[in-house]
Structure formats: C-alpha cells, structure tokens
C-alpha cells in the first residue's frame, strides 16, 4: 500500500479516529464553504396570523439543583477502564492494549555505548507471556502456534545486548505483535531496525517509539472499513494492518535540536528495493491515526526533519546471513535513496 493511500485512508477513517495524513498536510488549505443565502420568496403574503408566543419556562441554574442521580457511583464496583498496562523494563517502556492484546506503543533508548556492549545473547532468551497483564487480556504463546505469523519484536533484541536482563525483556509477548515473516519481519522491518541503530553514528542519543496501527481499506462497494485477522483458538490477538516507528534523534546538547522521523509500513511483504522515504509520514499523521501524542512538549524551534538531516535509506542483507552473524559485522549492500 502506497504512502498516499495510507495517508488518505487515515484521513477518512472514522472507525480509527484517524484524520490527518500526508495528503492532509500536503493539500491546499481547506476553503470554508460559503453558506447559501435564504431563497427569496416571491408572491402574495398570506393573511395567516403568527402563532401565539409560548411562555418561556423559568431557567433554573444547574448549580442550584441537587442531582437526583450519581453516575460515578458505578466506581464502587470497579473502574471499567480503559486501562493501559504501563510496564518498565531495563530495555523498554510500554503501554499495553488489552482489547487487541498488542502494545499501544513501546519506547526504547539506544546510544553508541549501549550498542557497543555485548553482555546479552538471544540464545539464552525465550519468548514468554507477560504475567503483569491480567490473564484474560494476555497474549498467549499458543496464540502464535501455527498462526502463520512471526512474534514480531517492537523493540528488537539486537538493541538490548548490553545485558542479558535487557535482552530477556524484549522477549515478553507484550513487546510482540503478529507480523508477516518473509518479506517483512525478517527482511524490510529488520532493515528499518538496522537503520535506527545506524543513526547512532550521527547522534549520541536516539529514542524510538514503535507500535501497531489498524487502518481501513476501501472495499469494492466504495466504503472504507477496518478489517484485520485475529489469531489464536479461541481468537485472541489482533493482527495489525500497519506498523509505525517514530524516531527522536537527539544532538546531545541541553535544550538542543531533535531530528524527528516517522514511518508507517504495511504488515505485508515489501520489496527490498523500496526506498525508505516512501514510508515517511508527518508525525501528526501517526498521532491522529493512533490516538497518541509523541512530541507535545518539544518546541517547534527545536525540531528538525530527520530525512533532511541525514540520508534515510536501508542497508540490505539476507535473513540467513544475519542469523549467522548475530555477533559479527554484517555484509551489507547499500541501496540509494533520494533525500527530500
């Protein structure tokens, strides 16, 4: 799905509450529709007398009325929610969506120092259910069994080699979403994760927020609908239609500049020759599509656009080669990308 389509469907989707997209920000300013003047009535006025005025009821200020009901009394039985299970682990902080059994977002922080440390090994880590999430809302290991989807890390294990505890935290299912394997999780998505790590060659501090999206698509009848698969037996974990990454590349200075980048990718096979900038979107598009806010406290004068500051492009290597060289330097092929 092209960036333009992603932009448009986010704009028109009432189901997801998404209203801003690339198309929205690149289009002409909305013109206020002129109100039509009331039509002039030509003819002989009728002799009908106007209806008698209805006596106005006295308006009693609400503050002077003792409410006869107490809606908040429901809370004596418990708070319905929604509850976003906030979890903090050495390598990540996350907010969990109990309805989809996927995270709302997962945040991480990488630096040249953290990536240079090699104290963790994924050979000693195991996928586990997150017992901090109530059992009835939890993603289960059995949900992924023979589902056809990978347990896709939102914070990659490769970003948490600085300790085994940090590495283990990335294997919680609350850090996972169902992802297409070949062509996405094991390929283009992994190249995007590598791109994020390479940003530490230019920036001393990089923060990344990753999460799923559920965007609508236009069907044959011309209507837009949100539709996604749910895996598990019984069905339990939603399969996102898209994923986003929002990147904060910090210059390391107190009150310094922050290069912002936002990318939205479909949960589908993506050709490795697809330029990364094709998936770049305004951060506001991700915010409105997800219902989240990422930079509300970052002044605009400190913001820079990441893909005008550096070359946003991926470096490709095959999955098998990457698995054989988990601790070694990768063999990469550079792909060109055009800065905008």
């Amino acid at each position: 799905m092209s960036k333009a389509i992603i932009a448009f469907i986010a704009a028109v989707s009432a189901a997801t509450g998404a209203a801003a997209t690339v198309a929205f920000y690149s289009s002409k300013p909305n013109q206020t529709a002129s109100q039509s003047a009331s039509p002039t009535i030509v003819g002989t006025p009728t002799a009908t007398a106007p209806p008698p005025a209805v006596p106005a009821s006295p308006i009693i200020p609400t503050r002077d009325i003792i409410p006869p009901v107490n809606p908040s009394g429901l809370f004596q039985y418990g708070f319905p929610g929604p509850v976003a299970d906030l979890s903090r682990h050495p390598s990540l902080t996350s907010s969990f969506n109990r309805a989809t059994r996927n995270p709302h977002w997962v945040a991480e922080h990488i630096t040249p120092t953290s990536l240079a440390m090699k104290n963790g090994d994924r050979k000693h880590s195991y996928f586990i259910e997150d017992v901090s999430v109530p059992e009835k809302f939890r993603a289960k290991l059995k949900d992924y069994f023979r589902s056809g989807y990978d347990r896709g890390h939102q914070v990659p294990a490769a970003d948490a080699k600085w300790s085994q505890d940090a590495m283990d935290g990335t294997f919680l299912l609350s850090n996972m979403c169902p992802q297409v394997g070949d062509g996405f999780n094991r390929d283009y998505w992994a190249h995007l994760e590598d791109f994020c790590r390479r940003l530490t060659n230019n920036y001393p501090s990089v923060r990344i927020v990753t999460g799923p999206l559920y965007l609508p698509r236009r069907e044959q009848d011309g209507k837009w609908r949100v539709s996604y698969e749910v895996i598990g037996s019984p069905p339990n974990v939603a399969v996102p239609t898209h994923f986003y990454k929002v990147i904060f590349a910090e210059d390391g200075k107190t009150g310094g500049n922050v290069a912002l980048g936002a990318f939205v990718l479909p949960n589908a096979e993506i050709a490795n020759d697809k330029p990364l900038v094709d998936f770049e979107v305004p951060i506001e598009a991700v915010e409105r599509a997800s219902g989240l806010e990422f930079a509300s406290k970052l002044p605009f004068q400190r913001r820079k656009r990441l893909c005008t500051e550096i070359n946003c492009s991926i470096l490709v290597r095959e999955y098998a080669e990457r698995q054989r060289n988990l601790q070694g330097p990768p063999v990469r092929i550079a792909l060109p990308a055009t800065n905008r």
Side-chain angles (χ1 to χ4, degrees), residues 108-129:
E108 61 172 313
H109 182 210
I110 55 176
T111 67
T113 299
S114 71
L115 295 179
M117 299 172 68
K118 308 295 182 183
N119 299 318
D121 190 333
R122 65 181 298 149
K123 294 178 182 179
H124 305 304
S125 297
Y126 303 92
F127 292 98
I128 58 173
E129 298 174 9

Side-chain angles (χ1 to χ4, degrees), residues 34-53:
S34 60
Q35 297 181 348
S36 300
S38 299
T40 301
I41 300 176
V42 180
T44 304
T46 63
T48 305

Side-chain angles (χ1 to χ4, degrees), residues 199-268:
L199 289 175
T200 60
N201 295 330
N202 301 90
Y203 300 94
S205 174
V206 178
R207 302 181 189 276
I208 308 155
V209 186
T210 306
L213 292 173
Y214 307 87
L215 298 181
R217 61 181 301 173
R218 193 171 191 173
E219 299 184 352
Q220 292 183 350
D221 61 3
K223 296 181 180 180
W224 295 81
R225 294 182 176 90
V226 176
S227 178
Y228 52 83
E229 185 179 350
V230 181
I231 62 172
S233 182
N236 192 46
V237 181
V239 179
T241 64
H242 295 74
F243 289 92
Y244 68 83
K245 278 189 181 290
V246 176
I247 301 170
F248 302 76
E250 303 168 340
D251 66 8
K253 302 175 183 177
T254 302
N257 293 328
V258 180
L260 294 176
F263 302 89
V264 173
L265 283 67
N267 188 12

